Amino acid sequence: MSTGVLERDVRQRARERLKTSTAVAVVGAGLVGLYSVSHWGIACPFLAITGWQCPLCGGTRMAVDLASGDVAAAWQHNAVALVAVATLLIAMVWWAGQAVGLRGTARWSAPNWLSQPHVYRVVVVVAAVWTVTRNLF
């Protein structure tokens, strides 16, 4: 395969990932906006059933704090979600660079690690440890 074909493939994958992540960000921003105006959020069925906070509990409040610039309060509401949001934003910037063909971005496809199966296993383990830790302490 020639370099031009590989570069087009990288750009296409980057565009697809950017579209998906942008859709997720827009929905998240909409939920944050709704919560900011009405204080209506999504009820957590895990919390209702078990009495424990799930890995996402506090995520909306974290995003509201983050939007207002209060990183410390965002960290207190949900540290893992804050790290996930930061990771997603970094990946989105990288994908945007790849999508427009920014030099150097195609050589090292950093956000490609997001599509590796072992990453999802790590995410599940971190979410489980986070859930147990935040509910016991």
Side-chain angles (χ1 to χ4, degrees), residues 46-47 50-57 78 80 123-137:
F46 185 80
L47 179 64
T50 66
W52 276 31
Q53 294 183 43
C54 78
L56 299 176
C57 280
N78 194 323
V80 170
V123 167
V124 168
V125 169
V126 168
V129 169
W130 168 243
T131 300
V132 170
T133 304
R134 76 188 304 204
N135 285 291
L136 291 180
F137 300 104

Side-chain angles (χ1 to χ4, degrees), residues 33-41:
L34 178 64
Y35 183 81
S36 296
V37 172
S38 67
H39 292 286
W40 180 85

Side-chain angles (χ1 to χ4, degrees), residues 50-123:
T50 66
W52 276 31
Q53 294 183 43
C54 78
L56 299 176
C57 280
T60 304
R61 290 172 286 155
M62 179 274 306
V64 169
D65 290 334
L66 195 58
S68 67
D70 192 350
V71 178
W75 181 265
Q76 288 180 340
H77 283 297
N78 194 323
V80 170
L82 182 61
V83 170
V85 167
T87 303
L88 180 62
L89 289 175
I90 291 167
M92 288 175 73
V93 168
W94 195 269
W95 291 327
Q98 288 180 331
V100 298
L102 191 64
R103 280 186 73 172
T105 58
R107 277 186 276 177
W108 187 66
S109 299
N112 286 343
W113 59 266
L114 291 172
S115 63
Q116 301 301 317
H118 66 275
V119 172
Y120 295 106
R121 288 190 285 272
V122 170
V123 167

Side-chain angles (χ1 to χ4, degrees), residues 2-66:
S2 69
T3 305
V5 173
L6 289 174
E7 198 168 307
R8 276 195 303 272
D9 287 347
V10 168
R11 284 184 180 187
Q12 182 60 35
R13 276 181 293 180
R15 285 187 196 106
E16 290 169 5
R17 291 173 178 159
L18 197 54
K19 284 179 192 176
T20 302
S21 58
T22 300
V24 169
V26 167
V27 169
L31 289 172
V32 168
L34 178 64
Y35 183 81
S36 296
V37 172
S38 67
H39 292 286
W40 180 85
I42 298 173
C44 178
F46 185 80
L47 179 64
I49 293 169
T50 66
W52 276 31
Q53 294 183 43
C54 78
L56 299 176
C57 280
T60 304
R61 290 172 286 155
M62 179 274 306
V64 169
D65 290 334
L66 195 58

